[in-house]
Every structure is written in C-alpha cells, then in structure tokens.
Amino acid sequence: MGFADKDRRLSAMIGATAHLNRDTLTNDPDISVRLTPSYMSSGNQTWTIYSRGINVKPSHISVSNLIISGDDQLLRIYGDASRSPSDTLHIELTNFDLNPLSQLTATTGYELSGRANGHADIVSALGSTYLYAGIDFENMKINDVETPPTHFQSVWDFERERARFTITDKTTADTVIRGYYNPANGRYLRDINIPRLDLSLLDVHVVDVLSNTKGTGNLQARISGRGNDLKFNGTLDVKGLSTTIDYTNVRYNFDDVRFTVSDNVIELKGATLRDAEGNPGDVNLSVDLNNLSNVAYSIHLRAHNLL
C-alpha cells in the first residue's frame, strides 16, 4: 500500500505480510507482521523501512528491529511494549533527519528541521510509561530560524512517580527548559528560560493582529496544567522590537518593552512606539490565547501625528 501528498512532498510505499491467529487460552487476536523492504520520502530525502517482525496482541506489542534508514541516517526500534515494568521499547537515533516531524507540527504553525542523535527507552509503554532518554539535537531550525544545539534528558522520578526532563543549550550549558510530566493524572509543568528568543517565532500565535515581527526577547515563563488545559504565565523582556500592526497595516518600532503573561493572556502596558517618521504613540495591547481557534485581542493607541 502507498500514498503520495504532492503539496507536502510526502510519499510512502509499504509492503507487508500479516498472519492473524488466536491465543489458545484467551482467544485474543495475535497478529504477526513482517515488513518487506519499503520506503518513505519527504522532500529530497528517502528512507528505507524494514523489520524482522512485529507481533501485536491486545496487551503486548513486540518489535524485532524496525529500521528506518537513509544515507547516513538510522532510526532503530526494538523491544516490547506492554503494561509491565519489565518490558521496554528501545529507540535509537543516528543523525536522523527531523523534517518528517513537520507533518505533525505544521498544524501549530511551526516547521522543523535538524538532526537527532541519541536514545529513548520507554518502560511500560502501554501502562504507566517511564521514559529514559538522552538525545542531542543539531543544526536545528524552526520556521527557518536557527536555534542553538540542545540536549534533551529525561529520567523517571520514582519517589514522585513522574518523568523529569531538561533541555540544555549545548553552547552555553544553560538549562532552557526544565519540567516534569505525570502520566497517571496527565499533569505537567515546564519552566522556560530562553534569553535570546527570536520574536518572529511568535507571529503564528497572533495571526491577523501582528505580522513580520523582529526583535530579541528574554523569556522567563511557566507552562503548567493537565491534558489540553494549560496555563501560561511569565514575562518577556524585548529589545529591538518592530512589527506591523495588521489593523493599520503600518510598521512600528518600539522602545524596550516588557510583555507579561497571566493565565494565557499576553499584555503590553504603557509602551511607546514610533512610526517610520519617528512620530510617537502610546499603546496598550492584550491578546487572549485561552481559545487558540478564536484568539481575542484589544489594542488601545494614543497617537501623536502617528501614521
């Protein structure tokens, strides 16, 4: 079987043989799948796909060397997934291209590129899920914005029964994200410290409000919640901010400003902006992100001969 998406330049052709049996004791289905050499393509990159065998039962999945490779890249998955803490699913990454993940992140407005090296071990993958991982990300770009090389580390905190994780900037050794995730109740927390955030990455969250944003920000924030119910709080101190306010379709430059975020509402108070001729104005801005499908915003501007 296969598919081709010309718009996303994504295609695949998968060949497999499958055998369906029944467990002699429980009568549960027991499916054995063997992949014949197959391929997947994204952009100019093609990967071959092969596995010695995948066995699927309702409470247990066994993977024997599922390998996705292309040029100098390798993704290897092997082991067992079940509810038992004695079963582990292993993932190994060697110089693996992250571009296919853009098919998942594109709906959020972000496209990824870069390479990943490292491993992830998922214990009790169908149950409580304990994650142990160490992955290096190199040559990363988000929407064509270069980001520093980072290291992702995850360990299981047995005392508090949750996964702890960090993302570290490899060039400075600074921790940019630290947090935890509790699979039992779905709670998570992320403390974010990004001292050189490219503000163009925020345009996707303020579509039809601001566009073509430039500048660098120091982001200190916390994201917490459960499932899809998240709360975003923090501050963003910005230098060199310029943006186009879509309502007026005019570009403005700002003095150094501070954005505050309280329970998903971004506010800018008492900021001074200037148009291309240097005419000043005072602006207060509020953007409510509690409903991302219908972002609410307000802009109050007091102008002094402002374009």
Side-chain angles (χ1 to χ4, degrees):
M1 63 179 181
F3 68 89
D5 187 329
K6 293 183 179 179
D7 292 335
R8 296 185 177 182
R9 301 181 66 195
L10 180 68
S11 63
M13 182 63 70
I14 308 297
T17 58
H19 298 278
L20 174 61
N21 300 301
R22 292 283 179 178
D23 189 288
T24 56
L25 296 177
T26 64
N27 201 39
D28 287 335
D30 184 341
I31 304 172
S32 295
V33 179
R34 182 180 179 87
L35 291 178
T36 58
S38 307
Y39 81 88
M40 177 179 69
S41 295
S42 178
N44 297 321
Q45 178 66 54
T46 298
W47 295 268
T48 58
I49 306 171
Y50 174 76
S51 175
R52 292 178 181 173
I54 301 173
N55 183 256
V56 181
K57 299 178 181 179
S59 59
H60 190 278
I61 300 173
S62 179
V63 181
S64 177
N65 261 9
L66 172 60
I67 294 176
I68 303 174
S69 62
D71 297 332
D72 57 346
Q73 305 175 51
L74 179 68
L75 169 62
R76 181 185 178 215
I77 303 174
Y78 63 97
D80 298 277
S82 75
R83 295 183 178 275
S84 171
S86 62
D87 285 330
T88 301
L89 190 66
H90 305 277
I91 302 173
E92 296 177 356
L93 296 154
T94 302
N95 202 34
F96 198 74
D97 189 348
L98 298 177
N99 183 63
L101 291 180
S102 286
Q103 309 303 321
L104 301 176
T105 62
T107 56
T108 66
Y110 293 112
E111 293 187 0
L112 302 179
S113 65
R115 299 294 176 116
N117 290 276
H119 75 280
D121 298 326
I122 308 172
V123 180
S124 183
L126 303 183
S128 298
T129 309
Y130 310 149
L131 175 64
Y132 299 87
I135 302 174
D136 291 313
F137 297 96
E138 308 282 350
N139 303 319
M140 288 291 298
K141 289 185 178 181
I142 303 175
N143 290 1
D144 292 326
V145 175
E146 293 185 3
T147 65
T150 55
H151 177 74
F152 171 78
Q153 186 78 32
S154 177
V155 297
W156 183 256
D157 185 337
F158 283 95
E159 181 178 352
R160 298 186 178 183
E161 297 185 339
R162 62 191 189 187
R164 292 188 290 109
F165 60 86
T166 58
I167 298 178
T168 304
D169 185 330
K170 293 174 64 177
T171 59
T172 63
D174 292 332
T175 299
V176 294
I177 298 178
R178 181 191 305 274
Y180 70 80
Y181 172 70
N182 188 323
N185 56 27
R187 288 192 177 277
Y188 57 87
L189 179 145
R190 282 172 281 180
D191 285 327
I192 303 171
N193 173 24
I194 304 178
R196 294 173 299 279
L197 176 65
D198 189 315
L199 297 184
S200 66
L201 295 174
L202 303 182
D203 275 347
V204 298
H205 297 296
V206 286
V207 175
D208 297 328
V209 181
L210 305 175
S211 60
N212 195 23
T213 303
K214 305 293 183 183
T216 303
N218 180 355
L219 177 63
Q220 305 286 328
R222 168 169 287 188
I223 299 175
S224 60
R226 174 187 291 179
N228 292 325
D229 181 20
L230 63 85
K231 295 297 181 184
F232 181 24
N233 294 276
T235 60
L236 176 63
D237 293 310
V238 179
K239 293 182 179 296
L241 173 61
S242 64
T243 190
T244 298
I245 296 180
D246 291 345
Y247 181 75
T248 62
N249 195 31
V250 176
R251 189 159 189 82
Y252 301 100
N253 299 307
F254 288 75
D255 291 351
D256 293 351
V257 296
R258 164 170 282 198
F259 291 85
T260 62
V261 187
S262 179
D263 291 343
N264 304 331
V265 178
I266 303 173
E267 290 187 316
L268 175 65
K269 295 181 178 180
T272 300
L273 58 79
R274 291 175 172 80
D275 61 24
E277 297 179 358
N279 300 311
D282 300 319
V283 63
N284 293 285
L285 170 70
S286 176
V287 180
D288 189 336
L289 301 177
N290 279 290
N291 183 357
L292 292 178
S293 63
N294 186 23
V295 174
Y297 63 91
S298 65
I299 300 174
H300 298 279
L301 178 63
R302 186 173 63 184
H304 307 280
N305 298 319
L306 195 68
L307 295 176

